């Protein structure tokens, strides 16, 4: 095990040196991080959209090593960039930075907007580096464990991923998240079945034989609803206030290091849950910081701890979200799902057989991207702040053209555009009715794995379903799936509700 | 988030759709061989190898959840009182979303396959900026008409895919619609507010430059596929790129 870790650290060192010594890296990285910050800063554009659009541009025509610099750079930049409008305008640029607005905007009202931005930048960098550290540390260990995972565990992991994503991402009824996940799974069933090559739900249309392409589905799910939402709302922009000093006082950072460390760990943990994104990480960390604080009344009124907790966690979530992605091929967040789409079209299969050098390179890119946001965030923040004046009705039509050409280019067919727009319209209707979209995307991505692994497991056991309980790993996962389902049944919920006040009383 | 009653009314109708879709796909799944499945000419007649196994589970679960959703909706006051879509579509918000959705559908289904990408995108970008940056219903209507008329023409006259690349009549029509929309949007804005918003002034330039730069970057920089290479403008760009520009750059 020690050799494995040392080998991984050595690979990381080599990758970092190769990246840092190649001038092309900086061209991709600075451009991608700046684009990411722009996407994060403009309300209506998201991190997932940034990664998806860049996937369309880079497609499979560029070496995956180079594409990854752009995609990860944009991912890190966008999660950080969302804090700009949250702090300055009280409009979260991305869902990930919604918790940041709670204390960021009150600080702006107190004339400390620049200070808040500086602290956010530092917290984001520390958060990303925390996530990166855990990624470097855990992935080799988990990959060694993942080699023990067979078809029954894979099938149940896919099911668990969809269930947990549906459970945690639902704002209204939990079953809406599960319905979204099942719709995603159903979409993944279209095409030739992976074992017997049986045509399923193709209705005689040859385009559907290869199933739904991931990139048009991602663009449909994330870009089209955003455009329609923006057109509904009309021009949405604000006049950012005067910033003042941006560079943070390092004493403030040092005093809040325990909060930062705890938030980073929470971010990694939430990120590692399949399909649960940076927004949940931000809120969980914010809530934890408030409940553990000796001055909880300051939260929501410009507390620096509140600001640092959410912003560290949402960036640490990036590293966490990449852990299940690289180990099992299960994306930990919606932008990670888009990243998986990029890996898939480049024929890179995450999982136990993934090239260790690729993991080391991803970690090295994350480190360089976080250093890039530190430089850009502290020295060019005013430039990005001026972008906040741009109304969404001006840039969202441009996003439509970007997604159209990106979606067309990856698949090379007009049918991909038809798929994108149909999926987009359905996704918008679902979002309007409070169905989360992340479980749908996770379902589309994991559907093939679920189908193949489930049938392969039953084949190995001659049709005996007890294979899902006799293997310890499978039994644990099945138990978790059952707990998730049973916990939503009305009698169980009533019992849990009755128990909660009693516990408080005790 | 909308009110609980509104959400539950929506949930009632959604549950009906879910139940209908689940039943339809369960029927389609039943057409897949279960016991007599064959793979590569070899009999694989076990139920657990059937291609219909997982879809049956998925659509069965969707059916159960659809029924559950209906029960929850009815219990929480979502009993049907008219079809909510009609009243929503008549509202200002519904009208804007419908108009935006129609423009997007016209762009993808009618314009992109048949019309030069630069022209189609320029028209749609300008229409969306004018129709939705200006929040007045008249601006939205003008935008909708400017896209729908050439889109309907392209769809009706050049419907089959064999005609997508050849004639340029729809390209010229879109170009005309684009120029007319510039005039109409400025006149409309001046009539309504006495001045033209600065964003509307630069919108025609953004509308043309953005798709022009994008398609050139994709086709010649990123070497990716681009839609409608035989379009009125892009065919000329591509011809001169390979026949005039590249030989000149290479010193031939």
């Amino acid at each position: 095990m020690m050799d494995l870790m040392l080998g991984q650290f050595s690979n990381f060192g080599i990758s970092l040196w190769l990246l840092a010594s190649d001038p092309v890296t900086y061209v991709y990285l600075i451009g991608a991080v700046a684009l990411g910050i722009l996407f994060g800063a403009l309300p209506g554009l998201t991190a997932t959209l940034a990664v998806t659009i860049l996937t369309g541009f880079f497609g499979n025509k560029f070496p995956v090593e180079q594409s990854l610099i752009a995609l990860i750079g944009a991912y890190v930049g966008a999660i950080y960039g969302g804090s700009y409008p949250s702090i300055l305008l009280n409009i979260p640029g991305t869902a990930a930075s919604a918790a940041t607005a709670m204390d960021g905007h009150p600080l702006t009202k107190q004339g400390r907007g620049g200070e808040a931005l500086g602290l956010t930048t530092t917290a984001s960098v520390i958060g990303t580096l925390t996530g990166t550290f855990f990624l470097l540390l855990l992935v080799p260990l988990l990959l060694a464990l993942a080699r023990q995972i067979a078809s029954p565990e894979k099938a149940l992991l896919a099911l668990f991923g969809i269930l947990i994503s549906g459970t945690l991402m639902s704002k209204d009824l939990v079953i809406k998240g599960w319905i979204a996940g099942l719709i995603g799974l159903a979409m993944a069933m279209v095409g030739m079945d992976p074992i017997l090559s049986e045509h399923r739900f193709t209705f005689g249309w040859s385009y559907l034989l290869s199933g739904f392409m991931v990139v048009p589905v991602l663009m449909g799910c994330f870009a089209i609803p955003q455009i329609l939402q923006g057109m509904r709302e009309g021009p949405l922009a604000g006049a950012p206030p005067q910033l003042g000093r941006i560079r943070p006082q390092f004493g403030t950072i040092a005093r809040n290091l325990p909060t930062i460390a705890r938030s980073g760990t929470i971010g990694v943990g939430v990120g590692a849950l399949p399909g649960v994104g940076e927004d949940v990480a931000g809120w969980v960390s914010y809530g934890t910081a408030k409940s553990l604080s000796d001055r909880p009344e300051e939260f929501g009124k410009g507390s620096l701890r509140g600001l640092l907790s959410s912003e560290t966690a949402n960036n640490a979530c990036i590293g966490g979200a990449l852990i299940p992605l690289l180990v099992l091929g299960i994306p930990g967040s919606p932008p990670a799902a888009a990243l998986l789409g990029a890996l898939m079209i480049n024929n890179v299969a995450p999982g136990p057989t993934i090239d260790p050098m690729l993991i080391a390179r991803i970690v090295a890119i994350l480190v360089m991207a976080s250093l890039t946001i530190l430089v850009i965030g502290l020295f060019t923040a005013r430039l990005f702040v001026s972008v906040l004046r741009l109304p969404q009705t001006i840039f969202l039509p441009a996003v439509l053209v970007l997604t159209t050409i990106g979606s067309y280019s990856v698949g090379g067919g007009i049918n991909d555009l038809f798929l994108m727009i149909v999926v987009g319209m359905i996704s918008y209707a679902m979002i309007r009715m409070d169905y989360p979209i992340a479980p749908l995307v996770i379902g589309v991505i994991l559907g093939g794995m679920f189908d193949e692994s489930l049938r392969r497991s039953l084949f190995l056991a001659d049709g005996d379903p007890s294979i899902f309980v006799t293997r310890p790993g499978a039994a644990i996962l099945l138990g978790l799936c059952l707990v998730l389902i049973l916990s939503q049944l009305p009698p169980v919920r009533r019992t849990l509700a009755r128990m909660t006040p009693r516990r408080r009383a005790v | 988030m909308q009110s609980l009653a509104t959400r539950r009314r929506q949930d009632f109708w959604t549950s009906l759709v879910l139940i209908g879709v689940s039943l339809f796909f369960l029927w389609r799944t039943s057409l897949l061989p279960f016991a007599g499945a064959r793979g590569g000419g070899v009999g694989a007649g076990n139920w657990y190898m059937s291609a219909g196994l997982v879809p049956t589970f998925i659509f069965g679960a969707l059916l159960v959840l659809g029924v559950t959703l209906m029960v929850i909706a009815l219990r929480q006051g979502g009993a049907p009182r008219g079809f909510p879509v009609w009243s929503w579509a008549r509202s200002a918000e519904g009208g804007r979303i419908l108009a935006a959705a129609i423009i997007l559908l016209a762009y993808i289904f009618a314009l992109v396959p048949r019309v030069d990408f630069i022209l189609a995108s320029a028209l749609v970008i300008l229409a969306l900026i004018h129709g939705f940056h200006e929040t007045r219903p008249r601006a939205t209507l003008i935008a909708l008409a400017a896209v729908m008329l050439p889109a309907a023409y392209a769809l009706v006259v050049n419907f089959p895919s064999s005609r997508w690349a050849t004639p340029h009549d729809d390209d010229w029509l879109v170009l005309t619609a684009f120029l007319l929309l510039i005039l109409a949007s400025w006149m409309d804005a001046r009539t309504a507010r006495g001045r033209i918003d600065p964003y509307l002034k630069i919108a025609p330039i953004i509308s043309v430059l953005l798709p022009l730069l994008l398609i050139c970057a994709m086709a010649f920089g990123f070497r990716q596929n681009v839609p409608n290479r035989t379009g009125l403008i892009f065919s000329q760009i591509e011809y001169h790129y390979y026949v005039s520009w590249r030989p000149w750059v290479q010193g031939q």
Side-chain angles (χ1 to χ4, degrees):
Chain A
M1 194 56 74
M2 204 59 200
D3 290 347
L4 197 71
M5 296 302 301
L6 286 175
Q8 188 64 11
F9 277 103
S10 149
N11 285 343
F12 165 67
I14 294 167
S15 297
L16 191 62
W17 167 248
L18 288 175
L19 268 178
S21 58
D22 185 0
V24 176
T25 302
Y26 298 97
V27 177
Y28 281 101
L29 200 61
I30 294 170
V33 171
L35 184 83
I37 297 176
L38 201 67
F39 265 68
L42 291 172
L45 303 184
T46 61
T48 316
L49 200 53
V51 181
T52 312
I53 286 177
L54 281 180
T55 303
F57 271 76
F58 282 91
N60 50 7
K61 305 281 195 304
F62 280 70
V64 69
E65 291 81 7
Q66 288 180 11
S67 308
L68 280 174
I69 302 174
L71 298 173
I72 294 173
Y75 183 4
V76 174
I79 296 296
Y80 158 67
S83 61
Y84 281 64
S86 291
I87 291 169
L88 301 177
L89 304 176
N90 202 22
I91 304 169
T94 57
S97 58
T100 307
M102 294 290 289
D103 284 295
H105 192 62
L107 283 168
T108 300
K109 281 186 180 168
Q110 295 164 21
R112 297 165 69 191
E115 184 191 351
L117 274 186
L119 286 171
T120 298
T121 305
T122 319
S124 297
V125 172
I126 298 173
T128 312
L129 290 175
T130 309
T132 307
F133 175 72
F134 278 102
L135 183 66
L136 186 65
L137 201 70
L138 293 179
V139 164
L141 301 174
L142 292 174
L143 276 176
L145 277 177
R147 291 197 181 98
Q148 312 301 318
I149 288 177
S151 294
E153 288 85 8
K154 273 189 190 172
L156 290 167
L157 260 173
L159 187 64
F160 176 70
I162 294 159
L163 279 173
I164 188 117
S165 169
T167 306
L168 296 181
M169 299 300 275
S170 289
K171 289 178 190 160
D172 188 16
L173 301 168
V174 167
I175 63 162
K176 288 189 173 182
W178 296 349
I179 288 170
L182 283 171
I183 291 172
L185 273 180
M187 286 167 72
M189 295 300 111
V190 174
M192 284 215 283
D193 109 78
I195 293 181
L196 299 177
S197 300
E198 202 79 58
H199 295 194
R200 291 191 298 204
F201 317 117
T202 55
F203 301 98
W205 190 11
S206 58
Y207 167 71
L208 291 180
L209 281 177
S210 52
F212 288 153
M213 298 291 150
V214 175
V215 174
V217 169
L218 285 170
M219 296 226 183
C221 285
F222 295 114
I224 302 295
Q226 215 64 57
I227 294 166
L228 287 170
Q229 181 70 10
M231 295 299 124
R232 182 181 76 90
E233 290 169 346
L236 188 72
Q242 289 295 316
L243 287 182
R245 180 194 158 97
I246 291 177
R247 259 166 280 173
Q249 304 278 354
F250 283 94
T252 314
I253 299 287
R255 274 196 302 280
N256 289 294
L257 266 182
T259 305
I260 291 173
R262 186 183 55 235
S263 305
T265 315
I266 290 173
V268 174
V270 174
L273 292 175
V276 183
E278 288 78 9
D279 46 344
V280 178
W283 283 115
V284 171
S285 174
Y286 185 82
T288 311
K290 189 177 176 180
S291 60
L292 294 179
S293 171
D294 47 354
R295 280 171 291 179
E297 69 283 355
E298 286 181 4
F299 279 67
K301 294 172 188 163
S303 160
L304 292 181
R305 271 189 198 167
L307 180 78
L308 291 169
S309 64
S310 62
E311 204 52 34
T312 310
N314 65 24
N315 271 74
C317 187
I318 298 171
L322 294 182
I323 294 173
L325 175 76
L326 295 174
V327 175
L328 302 161
I330 297 174
S333 68
L339 203 59
L340 179 61
L343 292 175
M344 284 162 81
I345 60 171
N346 280 289
N347 291 323
V348 176
T353 55
I354 196 169
D355 179 8
M357 277 309 282
L358 189 70
I359 297 170
R361 191 174 174 87
I362 288 171
V363 175
I365 295 170
L366 277 170
V367 170
M368 292 202 63
S370 57
L371 296 178
T372 310
I373 56 172
L374 183 69
V375 175
I376 291 182
L378 293 186
F379 297 102
T380 62
R382 284 172 215 279
L383 190 71
F384 289 99
V385 168
S386 63
V387 171
L388 300 180
R389 294 177 195 277
L390 202 60
Q392 59 177 354
T393 40
I394 302 297
F395 59 76
L396 283 176
V399 171
L400 172 67
V401 179
L402 277 167
T403 47
T404 302
I405 201 161
S407 191
Y408 184 92
S409 299
V410 171
I414 203 78
N415 288 321
D416 284 352
L417 293 185
F418 297 161
L419 173 66
M420 177 189 83
I421 195 79
V422 172
V423 170
M425 295 289 167
I426 294 169
S427 300
Y428 179 69
M430 288 175 68
I431 290 168
R432 290 281 295 159
M433 291 186 286
D434 296 313
Y435 286 81
I437 285 303
L440 185 146
V441 174
I442 303 285
V444 172
I445 287 173
L446 299 184
M449 179 171 122
F450 175 67
D451 181 24
E452 198 176 341
S453 308
L454 186 98
R455 286 157 66 196
R456 209 179 285 278
S457 311
L458 288 169
F459 176 67
L460 291 171
D462 282 332
D464 181 6
S466 68
I467 192 168
F468 295 108
V469 286
T470 49
R471 292 177 61 91
I476 292 169
L477 285 164
L478 186 65
L480 287 172
C481 290
L482 287 174
V483 166
L484 275 177
I485 295 169
L486 293 175
S487 66
Q488 298 304 320
L489 292 179
V492 181
R493 288 180 66 133
R494 277 196 294 272
T495 312
L496 286 173
R498 273 199 299 271
M499 283 164 68
T500 315
R502 251 186 248 159
R503 210 182 296 147
R504 271 186 200 146
V506 170
Chain B
M1 202 183 264
Q2 301 168 85
S3 72
L4 184 71
T6 311
R7 273 182 282 148
R8 294 299 167 259
R9 271 201 295 278
Q10 288 170 349
D11 290 344
F12 173 80
W13 293 104
T14 317
S15 67
L16 281 184
V17 173
L18 270 175
I19 291 167
V21 169
S22 310
L23 287 173
F24 172 76
F25 278 100
L26 278 172
W27 166 67
R28 291 293 304 185
T29 308
S30 71
L31 301 179
L32 291 167
F34 263 81
R38 296 179 71 80
V42 180
N46 299 315
W47 63 271
Y48 49 84
M49 288 301 286
S50 166
L53 177 69
V54 176
T56 305
F57 161 75
I58 293 169
F59 294 113
L62 262 180
L63 182 64
V64 171
L65 290 181
V67 173
T68 312
L69 186 64
M70 182 184 270
V71 172
I72 293 172
L74 288 172
R75 277 188 181 170
Q76 296 186 4
R81 275 185 286 161
F83 195 51
V85 171
W86 303 132
S87 54
W88 172 81
R90 281 198 298 270
S91 68
E93 180 197 280
R96 281 172 72 81
I97 295 174
L98 271 183
I102 291 169
I103 290 174
L104 261 59
L105 289 168
Y107 176 60
I108 299 294
F109 281 108
L111 295 177
V112 173
R114 294 169 182 83
V115 178
D116 181 90
F117 185 76
I118 300 166
L119 289 173
S121 303
L123 175 67
V124 168
I125 292 174
L126 185 63
L128 288 175
I129 291 177
H130 175 64
F132 298 90
H133 184 69
E134 294 278 325
T135 47
R136 290 171 291 108
R138 193 172 67 178
T140 311
L141 274 177
I142 290 172
L144 189 61
V147 174
M148 280 313 291
L149 291 176
Y153 176 85
L155 196 66
V156 172
V157 177
N158 296 321
F159 184 76
S161 56
S162 57
R163 288 180 60 83
W164 287 2
T166 40
H168 285 155
D169 52 345
D170 43 14
D171 293 349
W172 286 108
L173 191 64
V174 169
L175 178 60
T176 312
F178 175 70
L179 296 173
L180 286 174
L181 181 60
I182 296 174
L183 287 176
S185 63
W186 286 357
M187 282 166 61
D188 177 48
R190 195 181 281 276
T191 314
R193 294 202 296 192
R195 64 178 183 86
I196 303 169
D197 189 302
Y199 287 115
L200 280 185
K201 280 185 189 167
I202 57 160
I205 301 166
I206 298 171
S207 309
V208 175
L209 272 184
L210 182 90
L212 179 71
L213 292 174
L214 262 180
I215 201 165
C216 289
M218 286 301 263
F220 310 124
F222 288 87
R223 301 267 168 199
Q224 300 275 26
N225 297 314
V226 291
N228 213 335
R229 284 184 177 265
T230 54
L232 187 65
I233 296 178
F234 187 74
S235 60
Q236 293 300 311
I237 294 173
E238 193 168 38
Y239 174 81
H240 286 290
Y241 176 76
Y242 288 112
V243 175
S244 311
W245 170 255
R246 282 191 66 178
W248 181 73
V249 168
Q250 289 164 359
Q252 290 170 14

